[in-house]
Amino acid sequence: MSVGLVIVSHSSQLAAGVVELAAQMARDVVLVPAGGTDDGGIGTSLEKVMSALGEADGGDGVVVLTDLGSAVMTAESALEFMGNPGNVVLADAPLVEGAVAAAVAAQSGAALAVVRKAAETALNLHGAAAGATGGAAASMEGGQSGGAPGGAVAGVAAAGGREAMGGGPGPGTAGGGAVGARSAAGSAPGPGGAAPDGAVTAVLTLINPLGLHARPAAILAGALGAMDVDIAINGADAQSVFLLMALGAGKGTKLNVTATGPDAQHAVDLVRSEVENGFGEL
Amino acid sequence: MADNGTAGTLDVAWAIDWLRRSAAVVAENRVALIELDRAIGDGDHGENLDRGFTAILAKLDEELPATPGAAFKLAALTLMSKVGGAAGPLYGTAFLRAGTAVGDAAVLDSALLVAALTAARDGVVARGKAELGDKTMIDAWTPAVDAAAAAADMGGAAGGPFAGAGGPGGAADGGAGSGSDGAFGADVGGPAAVLAAAAEAAEAGAAATDPLIAHKGRASYLGERAIGHRDPGAASSALILRAAADAAAAASPAASEAGA
């Protein structure tokens, strides 16, 4: 089984359409529309939402996506009516992009929290993709990793991408630059090394033919999502399937990995192991 | 003990009467609410609420709830399912939280009534994320809750040792007690007086939304153009709380003067 999705919309046609679209990318995921009022009008219905929740729950939980204001309220009310079960969560996400991202994540077998996160970071895609194509992958705009580690991430990633430039101004950046340069020079198998502020980093090269496509992205995001870590790959939140896919990283692409938090070392080790094994696709 | 007289007794018969009176008053004011909503919203408030309360009447024809809490939950589920717009989950949550607050009590005393009104208001706040002064339902509900609490406190002071003993204890005993023992004159601090105070404050609160700029809902897009229009949700809240007071007054000859 996988996490199920419920699409709550004011319009039954819109809900059905979003389900139709998302299903194209997630054939095994249970996607249930709950759109319109009981009599087919524009609005939302608690009964429809509750019955959809029952239908969508195959045991691994349900992520609920909503369109406009009162759809959110109806969905919240449904959860309250059911006693706020822990395995049903609302995603604060754009309906279409969020549903597609969540469906892809669910299809990969990701856990409930990861599927929700996939939905909630779907819109950041544009910022991350623009950053990547502009060569400024160091930008953290696409990630949710927060402020303090972000500075270190930017420094490391920038150094990795432009290794000849070495360190930049300031002691923090200089340290990060050293780490990035070393890894990029080919010592990736060693410990990632800790930046001055405790960030664990690595620079890895994709060796599998298809690169970071949907399946590898789901493997990484699914495993990392269960860890207590803020981790970015080329500036993208590595706990988001969608953001990883959006990097468009093909074979031979260098990945700058930067992680902070209690599981940072474990997380970077996992990424290294998967990348070096070609995600089992070799 | 629940049938210890009907004076001011907020039992399931009162709760059902409240819902029926609400349906009647919403139907009666359907067009007025639509016009209020058309001025600053999307014009569906009267129609949506009317559909919801009409559905409650149909539900009550099928099965009669056994307790006030069950009646509130029936109303909650029906409004959330049938109203369609934002009023559905907002009123639905209000009734749901009120139902949870009163539990299985057969009769609500003043303390439990205030707890239910407070829980209802808190539910609307939690669901709608609105604050006092945002030109929403809250502007009727919060004054109503405050007035209800103040009215109940007056009863606690007047009721003396009996009220002191009954207040924190069981719901049913307190309610019946204040009806039979404390009913001297206009049921000071009794549930009917508490509801009358709440209704009056809700009406004043709704009227006070006229000069406000809206900060929630579709009316918030209008900025200063919302000034001069009453918030439809606050207006319907006042109608529904007045229906509660009227139902209590009808159930209580002693309190009818206070409610009138």
Side-chain angles (χ1 to χ4, degrees):
Chain A
M1 282 309 296
S2 64
V3 171
L5 302 183
V6 168
I7 308 300
V8 184
S9 167
H10 280 62
S11 153
S12 62
Q13 292 188 57
L14 182 53
V18 171
V19 164
E20 182 187 20
L21 179 63
Q24 293 295 308
M25 311 180 69
R27 302 198 173 275
D28 305 317
V29 177
V30 180
L31 299 154
V32 186
T37 59
D38 285 355
D39 52 7
I42 292 287
T44 50
S45 157
L46 181 82
E47 275 181 29
K48 279 195 177 187
V49 173
M50 287 178 66
S51 88
L53 288 174
E55 207 179 315
D57 190 6
D60 288 332
V62 181
V63 173
V64 184
L65 290 110
T66 54
D67 62 0
L68 305 170
S70 64
V72 181
M73 289 197 272
T74 297
E76 287 176 348
S77 300
L79 296 200
E80 183 167 339
F81 226 95
M82 297 164 68
N84 291 314
N87 64 337
V88 181
V89 296
L90 301 185
D92 182 10
L95 185 63
V96 176
E97 292 88 340
V100 170
V104 169
Q107 177 74 29
S108 76
L112 188 63
V114 177
V115 174
R116 172 162 68 175
K117 186 163 185 174
E120 295 186 336
T121 53
L123 255 202
N124 294 341
L125 171 64
H126 306 302
T133 50
S139 163
M140 281 299 292
E141 285 175 14
Q144 300 289 322
S145 298
V153 171
V156 172
R162 289 171 283 151
E163 56 192 88
M165 296 175 67
T173 311
V179 171
R182 179 167 59 88
S183 298
S187 61
D197 69 343
V200 180
T201 68
V203 175
L204 308 165
T205 303
L206 286 169
I207 56 174
N208 58 313
L210 292 176
L212 206 51
H213 65 97
R215 188 182 152 278
I219 288 173
L220 291 183
L224 296 171
M227 297 184 192
D228 185 1
V229 65
D230 280 331
I231 181 165
I233 296 179
N234 290 357
D237 182 345
Q239 290 171 318
S240 161
V241 176
F242 224 41
L243 294 177
L244 289 180
M245 286 173 62
L247 290 173
K251 185 182 181 185
T253 303
K254 277 200 166 51
L255 304 180
N256 293 287
V257 185
T258 305
T260 57
D263 293 336
Q265 187 65 55
H266 185 35
V268 172
D269 288 347
L270 179 132
V271 175
R272 175 180 296 113
S273 164
E274 287 291 347
V275 169
E276 290 177 351
N277 289 320
F279 300 96
E281 294 178 347
L282 298 177
Chain B
M1 61 187 170
D3 59 348
N4 186 13
T6 55
T9 303
L10 302 193
D11 54 11
V12 69
W14 160 78
I16 292 169
D17 190 33
W18 175 17
L19 294 177
R20 291 205 162 118
R21 284 171 184 267
S22 296
V25 78
V26 165
E28 204 174 295
N29 289 275
R30 179 175 164 276
V31 173
L33 290 172
I34 286 172
E35 306 219 319
L36 286 180
D37 197 27
R38 188 169 289 149
I40 58 171
D42 54 6
D44 62 2
H45 188 59
E47 193 177 331
N48 284 346
L49 263 197
D50 187 30
R51 181 170 55 240
F53 276 97
T54 301
I56 289 176
L57 292 180
K59 279 264 174 72
L60 290 174
D61 286 343
E62 286 171 22
E63 53 157 324
L64 287 178
T67 61
F72 296 163
K73 288 191 174 175
L74 177 151
L77 185 59
T78 309
L79 292 173
M80 287 179 183
S81 292
K82 302 296 181 189
V83 169
L90 290 170
Y91 276 115
T93 302
F95 277 109
L96 180 60
R97 297 272 178 101
T100 303
V102 302
D104 295 330
V107 174
L108 315 190
D109 65 359
S110 292
L112 201 51
L113 171 63
V114 170
L117 291 171
T118 305
R121 187 272 315 269
D122 292 349
V124 177
V125 170
R127 192 65 72 232
K129 318 274 190 298
E131 294 172 9
L132 192 64
D134 282 349
K135 197 171 182 122
T136 71
M137 289 168 67
I138 299 302
D139 294 326
W141 275 92
T142 289
V145 167
D146 292 346
D153 281 349
M154 283 172 60
F162 181 86
D173 290 348
S178 77
S180 53
D181 273 301
F184 182 77
D187 183 31
V188 173
V194 169
L195 279 174
E200 194 172 325
E203 285 159 358
T209 65
D210 291 4
L212 297 178
I213 292 176
H215 295 292
K216 286 284 169 184
R218 241 166 277 206
S220 63
Y221 304 152
L222 296 178
E224 294 189 352
R225 281 179 289 152
I227 292 175
H229 298 283
R230 185 156 310 177
D231 177 65
S236 61
S237 296
L239 292 174
I240 288 165
L241 287 168
R242 175 56 71 190
D246 287 348
S252 160
S256 64
E257 291 170 27

